[in-house]
Amino acid sequence: MISQHIAQQLNQQFNNESYSAYFYLSMSAHSDFIGLKGFASWFMAKYHEETTHAMKIYKYILDQGAAVRLLAVAQPPSDFASPLAMLEETLRHEQSVTRRINELVDMAVSEKDHATHIFLQWFVTEQIEEEATVSEVINKVKLIGDRGDGLFMIDNQLGQKAAALAKTALSTPTSGGS
Ligand code: FEO
C-alpha cells in the first residue's frame, strides 16, 4: 500500500517517462529524416527503453493497489540545430530526470515508504548509466567533430550500440542501459 501522495507522484513520473519516450522518438525521426540511420536507431532504442521505464512504474502503482491515471503527454521538440545539439539536449534531459528521481526518493524517505524507496533504487542506478553513456558520446563527437567523416564514424558506432542494445533487450526484457 502506498499513500495517495506517492501514488500521484508516481503517476506523474509515468507521464515523465512517457514524455522521455516521445522525446527520443522525435529525435529518432529527425535523425532518420536527415539521413543519420545510426543516430535514428540509437534514439529508437532509447524510446523503447523509456517505455520500459514507464511500464515499470505502471506495474508498481497497480501492484501497490493504487490507480493508474494517464495524463496528457507534452509535445517534444522536433527541430534540432545539429547532431551535437541533439546529444547535448539528451544529456540535459537525463540530468533533469535524475533530479526528479532524487526528489521521488526524498519523498519516499520522508514518508518512511520503504517499498517505494527500494523500487526507486533501480532508477537511481539507471540514471548514472544513462548520463555516463550520453556524456561519453558527446565527448567523442566533440573530439571527432559532428560533420563529414567524423559524423559518419559516430553514426556507425551509434548504429552498432543500438544493435547491441536490441540484443540485450531480447535476452533480458526488463533491463535498461543505453
Ligand atoms: Fe527513464 Fe532516460 O530515464
Side-chain angles (χ1 to χ4, degrees):
M1 190 66 197
I2 52 177
S3 72
Q4 283 260 356
H5 176 241
I6 292 287
Q8 186 214 338
Q9 293 296 323
L10 289 174
N11 270 302
Q12 181 57 56
Q13 190 56 24
F14 174 86
N15 182 266
N16 295 344
E17 300 288 348
S18 301
Y19 174 77
S20 293
Y22 227 33
F23 179 78
Y24 292 129
L25 187 60
S26 182
M27 287 187 177
S28 179
H30 178 77
S31 301
D32 212 323
F33 181 68
I34 61 174
L36 293 173
K37 299 288 184 191
F39 274 75
S41 299
W42 189 65
F43 282 121
M44 184 63 82
K46 290 185 74 60
Y47 158 77
H48 287 298
E49 250 180 36
E50 297 300 345
T51 58
T52 305
H53 298 176
M55 291 312 292
K56 267 182 191 285
I57 294 168
Y58 173 101
K59 184 173 184 310
Y60 179 75
I61 295 170
L62 290 173
D63 283 350
Q64 286 288 9
V68 167
R69 302 270 184 235
L70 301 184
L71 307 167
V73 180
Q75 181 178 350
S78 49
D79 286 313
F80 307 94
S82 67
L84 179 59
M86 256 191 309
L87 293 166
E88 287 177 331
E89 213 164 312
T90 296
L91 180 60
R92 275 194 298 276
H93 179 70
E94 288 303 335
Q95 287 167 337
S96 78
V97 173
T98 300
R99 281 193 293 277
R100 171 69 188 156
I101 295 290
N102 288 340
E103 283 170 11
L104 287 171
V105 171
D106 288 345
M107 286 176 216
V109 168
S110 79
E111 287 199 21
K112 297 189 170 57
D113 179 345
H114 301 295
T116 302
H117 187 194
I118 290 169
F119 169 70
L120 290 169
Q121 296 315 299
W122 184 90
F123 288 87
V124 171
T125 309
E126 174 71 3
Q127 284 311 119
I128 297 170
E129 190 185 335
E130 295 230 350
E131 285 190 31
T133 307
V134 182
S135 296
E136 187 192 315
V137 178
I138 289 175
N139 288 341
K140 211 176 263 182
V141 171
K142 281 185 175 164
L143 204 67
I144 304 175
D146 73 343
R147 47 193 77 216
D149 287 351
L151 181 58
F152 181 71
M153 191 190 296
I154 297 282
D155 190 51
N156 262 331
Q157 286 182 3
L158 284 180
Q160 284 165 15
K161 258 183 198 291
L165 269 177
K167 234 185 230 170
T168 311
L170 279 178
S171 55
T172 50
T174 54
S175 73
S178 49

